[in-house]
Amino acid sequence: MAPQREMPIELAEWLETPVGRYARAWEQRQVDAMVGNAFGYHAIQIGLPHWNLLQANRIPYKAWAHSPSAPFGSRAGRLVCEPEQLPFDTQSVDLVVMPHTLEWCMDPHQVLREVERILMPEGRVVLTGFNPYSLWGLRESLPGLDLRLPVPVPSQVSPARLKDWFKLLSFELDRGRFGCYVPLCATQAWLHRWRFMEHAGDRWWPAGGAVYAIAAVKRVSGMRLVGPAWRQPRRRMRRGAVAPAANRINEDIHG
């Protein structure tokens, strides 16, 4: 079992800062819209169990899975497990939500393989994460500046990499949104002053949002029925019809 980074606790603490609450509110709105029409019997959130990203969904059974290093909280339906080894049967879950889960896992591609395994055909996965190609990622990449993000830029999973992983697995991208175009500010007052950049960034630099939310659907290729080869019916020769030339030659030789 691969050791996990101690990042989930730092991420949970960062989400309580002014800029963390700003990003959290945006992610909550996007995920609510993406899971609102997802139906089935079982929904799982992997990571950050104290943050309910399944509240807008009407699936009856919900569970929150998290690693032992994550804050437990007091929510019912919690499961302690590693995301690389999910304790669910194959094709038993209809919806999986992962808030920044791939960023603190030791093997994010293996996590997606596990999600693909447990999802039902036409099941849905919704992911959120930091975009390394944004103003926030650019600031964190500059030397000499204090780090303000809980996830370092090399550990962030870009949407382009996610699309490549989706192609390798049986996922089809359904929708995606970028948000949080404001600079990485430490106070609520400065975040409010830069709020006008949300509309400008969404129009002029749509892929430069600091945070993204992506939904994908598990597709299963249709089966092709393979049966026995049907024999062509033999054509009866009418009376009085002239036999083919090959038959007449055989009759002349043997007769």
Side-chain angles (χ1 to χ4, degrees):
M1 184 176 297
Q4 298 291 317
R5 300 189 183 101
E6 296 297 330
M7 201 171 297
I9 296 179
E10 298 178 8
L11 178 58
E13 295 174 352
W14 181 86
L15 290 172
E16 300 302 325
T17 63
V19 66
R21 290 193 298 268
Y22 187 89
R24 179 174 176 174
W26 182 88
E27 292 183 36
Q28 185 76 61
R29 292 192 300 269
Q30 307 310 315
V31 175
D32 286 348
M34 292 179 178
V35 305
N37 293 327
F39 299 97
Y41 296 97
H42 300 90
I44 307 296
Q45 176 177 321
I46 304 176
L48 300 176
H50 67 288
W51 182 11
N52 186 5
L53 284 169
L54 297 173
Q55 62 182 12
N57 184 262
R58 291 171 287 180
I59 290 179
Y61 177 78
K62 301 175 182 178
W64 287 262
H66 57 86
S67 66
S69 59
F72 285 9
S74 58
R75 186 185 307 280
R78 293 180 292 105
L79 299 173
V80 179
C81 63
E82 303 294 356
E84 289 88 353
Q85 299 175 352
L86 297 174
F88 304 107
D89 293 335
T90 300
Q91 297 188 2
S92 62
V93 180
D94 302 282
L95 172 64
V96 176
V97 177
M98 297 194 292
H100 298 271
T101 306
L102 299 182
E103 296 168 342
W104 54 265
C105 296
M106 298 301 297
D107 192 350
H109 195 195
Q110 172 60 25
V111 175
L112 273 184
R113 283 195 293 263
E114 276 290 278
V115 171
E116 191 273 339
R117 179 186 66 83
I118 68 173
L119 272 179
M120 295 281 292
E122 304 301 316
R124 181 177 298 267
V125 57
V126 178
L127 308 96
T128 66
F130 292 109
N131 180 18
Y133 308 110
S134 65
L135 289 178
W136 294 12
L138 177 63
R139 185 195 181 281
E140 296 293 282
S141 301
L142 294 177
L145 297 179
D146 296 333
L147 299 179
R148 293 185 180 179
L149 291 179
V151 181
V153 173
S155 299
Q156 297 176 8
V157 180
S158 67
R161 184 189 294 184
L162 269 180
K163 292 180 181 180
D164 291 339
W165 289 349
F166 287 161
K167 291 180 181 179
L168 294 176
L169 301 172
S170 56
F171 285 113
E172 179 180 323
L173 183 64
D174 181 51
R175 66 179 80 173
R177 289 294 304 274
F178 289 89
C180 298
Y181 295 91
V182 299
L184 190 59
C185 305
T187 63
Q188 184 65 35
W190 278 104
L191 288 171
H192 183 74
R193 293 177 183 177
W194 289 102
R195 194 177 181 88
F196 71 92
M197 292 189 63
E198 293 294 337
H199 301 287
D202 188 47
R203 180 177 181 181
W204 301 107
W205 193 21
V211 184
Y212 63 83
I214 293 178
V217 178
K218 177 181 175 179
R219 302 297 190 190
V220 177
S221 301
M223 295 183 296
R224 181 180 179 182
L225 297 178
V226 179
W230 296 101
R231 298 179 60 183
Q232 296 293 333
R234 299 182 61 181
R235 299 178 60 182
R236 296 182 179 180
M237 184 177 299
R238 296 179 181 179
R239 293 183 178 180
V242 179
N247 294 341
R248 294 201 307 269
I249 294 175
N250 290 335
E251 292 175 358
D252 295 340
I253 295 177
H254 298 286

